[in-house]
Amino acid sequence: PDPAANPPTGSGRSSAVRDRRLTPAGADGMLAAEAARDLLAEAGIPVIETALCASPSAAAAAARRLGYPVVAKVVHPELIHKSDAGGVRPGLGTAAAARRAARDLLALADGASVLVQPQGQGVELVVGGLRDPQFGPVVLAGLGGILVEARDDVALAVAPVDEAAAIALLRSLRGSAVLDGLRGQPAVDLPAVARVIVRVGRLLADAPEILELDLNPVLAGGRGCVAVDWRIRVG
C-alpha cells in the first residue's frame, strides 16, 4: 500500500524534511534548483532526471548521457520565469545543439547555470501549494504549462488531502476532459497524479518553512507522471 494515500495523523515531520535545513539561495526565499529537486524526490514526488552544468562542454556531455532529445534551461535566482527570459531550449538532438544552447543560456546572467533534462511528453498539469494566512497549507492542481495563468483552470483544497479528494480536485477542473484522452491520446493516469497532489499536501503540512511550492509542468501520461520544472519558496 502507498503510505502517501493515507497520510499519518501524527505531528511528526516526514523523513523528507526531518533534520533538513531549508535554506534559500537568495533574498527572494527560493530554494536552489537542485536542493528543491532533492526535497521533492525524498517526499516521493517523481521528478525528471537532471544535470546541473556550469559550461557548454558539461551540458553537451550531460545531453549525451541523458539521451536525445534534451531540454536545456537557465538556472539563476533572478530568472524565476525561465520561459519569459528566453531561458528554455527544447528539442536539442545533438551534442553540438546542447553546447550552443548552453552557451546562449549562460550568457543571460552572470553566475547562471544550465539544467539539462531528457525531453518528456504528456498532458501539462500544474500541482502546487501555498501557505494561506487564514487556512494554512493549501494544495492546488490544474491545467499547466506556460499558459497556466491565461487558462486560469485550477482547483484548491486545504492540505493535507487523501487520494480520493485529489482525484475529485482534478475532476472539478473545467478542462478535465483532457484527462480522459483527446484525439487518440491516452487517458491520464489519474491515481499517479493524485499521489503527487497528496504528497505535495503532506510536504506543505510537514514543513511550515515552505511558503509556496510550484510544479509546472507535471507531464502526465497513460502510465505515471513526472515533474519537469519546480520552484519552492521558503521563509
Side-chain angles (χ1 to χ4, degrees):
D2 185 350
N6 296 285
T9 56
S11 59
R13 287 155 67 94
S14 73
S15 60
V17 293
R18 190 182 301 124
D19 301 325
R20 174 185 280 276
R21 293 187 64 190
L22 303 184
T23 304
D28 58 1
M30 291 293 177
L31 287 184
E34 289 294 282
R37 183 191 185 281
D38 290 346
L39 180 64
L40 295 169
E42 289 175 22
I45 296 167
V47 285
I48 201 161
E49 186 178 2
T50 65
L52 187 64
C53 305
S55 69
S57 60
R64 284 192 294 267
R65 178 176 61 82
L66 294 172
Y68 304 110
V70 298
V71 180
K73 304 176 181 180
V74 68
V75 177
H76 190 276
E78 295 181 4
L79 301 177
I80 300 301
H81 299 287
K82 301 178 182 67
S83 296
D84 293 347
V88 180
R89 305 296 170 89
L92 305 175
T94 65
R99 187 179 293 108
R100 286 193 300 270
R103 184 174 59 246
D104 293 343
L105 295 174
L106 291 169
L108 290 177
D110 289 339
S113 301
V114 173
L115 205 64
V116 180
Q117 305 172 335
Q119 182 159 322
Q121 293 182 335
V123 176
E124 292 189 337
L125 302 175
V126 58
V127 177
L130 53 87
R131 198 161 301 279
D132 184 87
Q134 181 175 357
F135 296 104
V138 174
V139 68
L140 67 87
L143 299 185
I146 60 174
L147 298 178
V148 61
E149 294 178 356
R151 288 173 174 155
D152 191 25
D153 191 5
V154 298
L156 299 94
V158 175
V161 297
D162 61 16
E163 191 169 325
I167 289 178
L169 207 64
L170 293 166
R171 286 296 184 195
S172 72
L173 300 173
R174 296 191 305 275
S176 63
V178 73
L179 304 175
D180 296 320
L182 295 176
R183 298 183 180 179
Q185 296 300 310
V188 165
D189 185 347
L190 282 183
V193 180
R195 286 191 291 271
V196 171
I197 297 170
V198 169
R199 290 167 181 166
V200 166
R202 173 50 56 188
L203 187 55
L204 285 164
D206 283 347
E209 305 96 319
I210 297 177
L211 303 180
E212 296 176 11
L213 190 159
D214 183 36
L215 310 178
N216 183 30
V218 173
L219 295 181
R223 299 180 62 184
C225 63
V226 63
V228 300
D229 209 355
W230 46 84
R231 295 185 300 139
I232 298 178
R233 187 167 71 87
V234 298

